[in-house]
Amino acid sequence: MFSANTLLPLLRQTWGFDAWLPSQAEAIEATATGRDTLVVMPTGGGKSLTYQLPALALTGTAIVVSPLLALMKDQVDALTRAGVSAATLNSTTSAADRAQIVRRYETGELKLLYVSPEGLATGRLQDVLRLGKVSFIAVDEAHCISQWGHEYRSDYRSLALMRDLFPSAAMHAFTATATPRVREDIVTSLRMVDPVRVVGSFHRPNLTYRALQRTNLTVQLQELIARHPGDAGIVYAIRRKDVEEIAAALSKVGVRALPYHAGMTPELRQRHQEAFSSEAIDVIVATIAFGMGIDRSNVRFVAHAGLPRSIENYQQEAGRAGRDRLPAECVLFHSGQDLIAWRHILGELVGEVGQAAERRLQEVQRFAVNLACRHRYLVEYFGEPFELDADGCGACDVCLRECTESPDSPTLAKKLLSAVIRVEQRFGAHYIADVLRGSKREKIEQFGHDRLSTFGLMKEFESQDIVSWLDQLLGQGFLDRGPMNTLLMTSEGWHALRGERPVRLTMPRGKPERRSKRTRGQASGGGAGPVEATTQAGHGFDDSASSALFEQLRQWRRETARLEKVAPFVVFSDAVLMGLIGRRPLTLQALRACPGIGDRRLELYGEALLGFFRALPPEARGGGDVLPEPTHVEAPPAVAAGTSTVVAGPDDDGAVSEAKVASATLQTAFSAFDLGCSISDVMVMTTRARSTVERYFLDWVEDRRPTTASPWLDERELARVEAAVHLVGRDRLKPLHEHLALEEPLDYAMIRLALRVLDTRKKVAAAA
Ligand code: ADP
Ligand code: ZN
């Protein structure tokens, strides 16, 4: 048994991180009890570490079951670079490697051994496993065991065998997807005994969600890609044919894109996946067959070219964005046609299964057309409460007010529905739009539709807007599609026509299209309002000098990865590169202090990185003082410590609640604080004034509730604050500040941090 905090030195030494991400400590402590555990954390939550670190600390070898060869390779490559003894045994391992790995396993030198479920089913691997001492069994992507999950793999079923093979070893299951049903299924299928359940929050604040009516997909995708130049993205499509077409269309307009679907040969699929992992291409267009193997952590956007088949799928697929915890964007382009396409594909499903599939489609359709916060919808879908601030989440098109309800939707709907009836439900959307616009088309005159009362009834609208509204009615079940794309009324449609059903139609063309012109690197002054700041996703640098440095470092990383035959994100994550740019270290010691630089990586890459930073012209060199010190704004006096988030004051550019709204910058800051960056580092990264960054920091402290103030404050400083509180109390910060200054001044932000850490510790101690 160990407490998670006794492993902090190991975390620092091996991975170069100073603090836990939310739920990590809890998950590690659950592992330490030696009981079975089920750990449910969102993608990017840092699950891997919660079994890798205990594996390091315990004697014996942890057996990790992982669903895909590519995943295993990436994990082992990354562990090796952190100095951890790890290997994988699978069908592609050569005989020579196999013998050597088995030896390392037998002697107990291996801390982690990755195996595949199909490998485990063979007697041969079981025989090998008997030779060593197993510390515990970890099952990654454990939802694959559940038929209720969306990635069911029959070979996961045989994992329960591990129980018989190693009756005394604890089994730890990890997943990011969990409806309660899937969770229970994992527990039963793995024959877990009274497991400890650790369930983290499903909220992924670094993602910005948008759901837009699909109009001109290629143009819409181009606009999205233009917001993320040079960055990685995934486009999901429903059918193989769509995948091929979209990939071709994107290539034609100069995007480095490749297709990926189950109809391609395995070799070609693998080549395309590798091209994506190695950053040779930026965009991969795929059916849902793609993804499980994708570990690339710096995916900056995920687009859906059509409705996903369920919310679970959406969460999993969109969740592949921003695994490195930096800002990323998820856009769902949808149309009423998608439901019909899915029904066609799922047509064979009958009975209960068919009904369940239909229900899931309806849910995801509702998500797409809903005019409510999308973060909230997703989080609540998974049974977790979500508190929405008065000014919204700041990270979805609804809360950002980009997507608005069309004025007077019910009347609009009535006009549209009656137009469908007037043409006797025998025509398609474009024709109906022409009638409503009062077009002079010959065909309309031939049918006498120019004499209808609906003729010209909506002439103030563009044809594509009318088509889009008809499409929305289709998607919401008020219309149905008949033969040759004709539109038919449903009974719900008749109710709506009589005003018996609420109908909400959104403005067909959302704002991001118009706002997307502004891309990374452009000056952020002038009219860049707070909302625009949030569309600036990407790695979050606002100044072009840092962006250029980032690109150079990425180039170095790509080259290093190529030589080492690994994926670039395995060498360093984007978050670590950002931290480096924040600090621009010039000595080994300074480099060692950077987040994400453990002992082994320092040995491997230290000289190269120092060479890089030392070669910079003097004005670009670092130590965190590359920018002129922004004007210091006095900390707001005497906010009672321990109260909730800091009151947002006027910001640098006068926008009142920028800290709330500019979530991309905020998230960059949060990720950086997670990594242990200092306030000055984050000032450089975000190009925000100290006062702003201090506010971000305090929000972060509030949110994360760290139990240690490291690396910002050491224990001596904490003790100093504690002593000062004894003397002058803590009702007001100013006297505390003044008292501390008698010996040595301490920032307001640091005093707040110290108070929060002391509080948290007290609570933990009281609970123990
Ligand atoms: P998951 O498997 O849950 O999707 P990962 O294990 O891939 O998440 O971790 C997500 C990212 O978070 C990785 O880039 C990892 O390096 C980083 N990370 C993990 N633990 C920490 C930590 N304690 N501090 C900072 N970053 C961390
Ligand atoms: Zn929202």
Side-chain angles (χ1 to χ4, degrees), residues 212-223 249 333-334 464 508-509 513:
L212 296 172
Q213 193 81 20
R214 190 169 65 237
T215 48
N216 182 335
L217 182 65
T218 309
V219 173
Q220 288 176 308
L221 284 174
Q222 263 180 286
E223 279 168 345
F333 298 106
H334 60 95
Q464 70 186 85
R509 281 165 293 171
E513 294 173 48

Side-chain angles (χ1 to χ4, degrees), residues 85-395:
S85 173
T88 161
L89 273 182
N90 60 54
S91 53
T92 63
T93 317
S94 71
D97 284 350
R98 173 173 289 271
Q100 187 231 13
I101 292 167
V102 172
R103 210 163 38 245
R104 285 167 69 199
Y105 174 61
E106 265 182 293
T107 57
E109 187 240 295
L110 275 185
K111 297 316 298 178
L112 296 114
L113 178 62
Y114 283 75
V115 297
S116 65
E118 60 274 17
L120 269 184
T122 68
R124 186 156 162 234
L125 182 58
Q126 292 177 15
D127 289 343
V128 169
L129 292 185
R130 282 199 192 89
L131 298 173
K133 179 171 163 29
V134 171
S135 52
F136 58 82
I137 298 153
V139 180
D140 207 2
E141 312 285 355
H143 58 274
C144 292
I145 205 167
S146 171
Q147 271 166 328
W148 300 110
H150 54 280
E151 282 173 332
Y152 173 61
R153 293 190 34 153
S154 54
D155 43 21
Y156 259 65
R157 286 270 156 191
S158 56
L159 289 190
L161 285 179
M162 293 294 278
R163 275 264 106 104
D164 307 325
L165 210 55
F166 301 103
S168 58
M171 181 100 94
H172 307 307
F174 300 84
T175 182
T177 313
T179 48
R181 187 172 202 176
V182 174
R183 275 178 219 167
E184 286 325 298
D185 213 12
I186 293 172
V187 168
T188 352
S189 309
L190 288 175
R191 303 198 337 237
M192 289 186 146
V193 186
D194 184 25
V196 186
R197 291 176 171 81
V198 179
V199 180
S201 167
F202 274 82
H203 184 206
R204 305 258 329 257
N206 61 321
L207 303 185
T208 295
Y209 294 111
R210 296 192 160 90
L212 296 172
Q213 193 81 20
R214 190 169 65 237
T215 48
N216 182 335
L217 182 65
T218 309
V219 173
Q220 288 176 308
L221 284 174
Q222 263 180 286
E223 279 168 345
L224 169 62
I225 293 166
R227 291 204 283 276
H228 306 274
D231 283 336
I234 305 176
V235 178
Y236 283 106
I238 300 179
R239 285 162 301 222
R240 293 173 193 178
K241 177 169 89 44
D242 305 332
V243 166
E244 297 283 353
E245 283 170 13
I246 296 168
L250 289 179
S251 304
K252 220 151 94 209
V253 295
V255 177
R256 299 191 303 172
L258 283 175
Y260 185 104
H261 58 71
M264 293 160 38
T265 63
E267 295 74 39
L268 192 58
R269 270 210 315 256
Q270 195 181 343
R271 270 224 299 286
H272 288 188
Q273 168 155 340
E274 269 165 23
F276 184 64
S277 287
S278 66
E279 301 187 357
I281 59 162
D282 299 323
V283 176
I284 193 131
V285 188
T287 53
I288 52 170
F290 176 78
M292 282 252 301
I294 216 45
D295 220 12
R296 183 166 171 176
S297 60
N298 56 354
V299 172
R300 294 272 73 86
F301 66 90
V302 169
H304 278 77
L307 273 192
R309 65 193 283 175
S310 69
I311 295 284
E312 284 87 344
N313 276 87
Y314 187 66
Q315 187 237 10
Q316 189 83 5
E317 288 153 22
R320 297 203 167 97
R323 279 189 72 154
D324 52 11
R325 316 170 62 76
L326 299 174
E329 184 178 358
C330 306
V331 187
L332 168 53
F333 298 106
H334 60 95
S335 137
Q337 324 264 5
D338 299 341
L339 272 185
I340 292 156
W342 274 119
R343 285 183 188 132
H344 185 72
I345 295 169
L346 301 172
E348 271 107 80
L349 303 178
V350 286
E352 203 192 325
V353 186
Q355 280 165 10
E358 174 65 28
R359 207 170 38 243
R360 284 200 280 270
L361 283 175
Q362 297 285 353
E363 276 161 357
V364 79
Q365 165 75 13
R366 210 170 310 133
F367 169 75
V369 298
N370 218 353
L371 284 177
C373 174
R374 303 198 196 279
H375 274 282
R376 182 183 190 158
Y377 187 105
L378 291 174
V379 167
E380 289 185 345
Y381 180 87
F382 291 101
E384 184 187 331
F386 186 89
E387 255 180 61
L388 195 61
D389 289 348
D391 48 356
C393 74

Side-chain angles (χ1 to χ4, degrees), residues 17 19-21 24 42-49 323 325 674-675:
F17 299 135
W20 305 116
L21 298 180
Q24 267 185 338
T43 313
K47 279 186 290 301
S48 338
L49 244 160
R323 279 189 72 154
R325 316 170 62 76
D674 283 340
L675 289 163

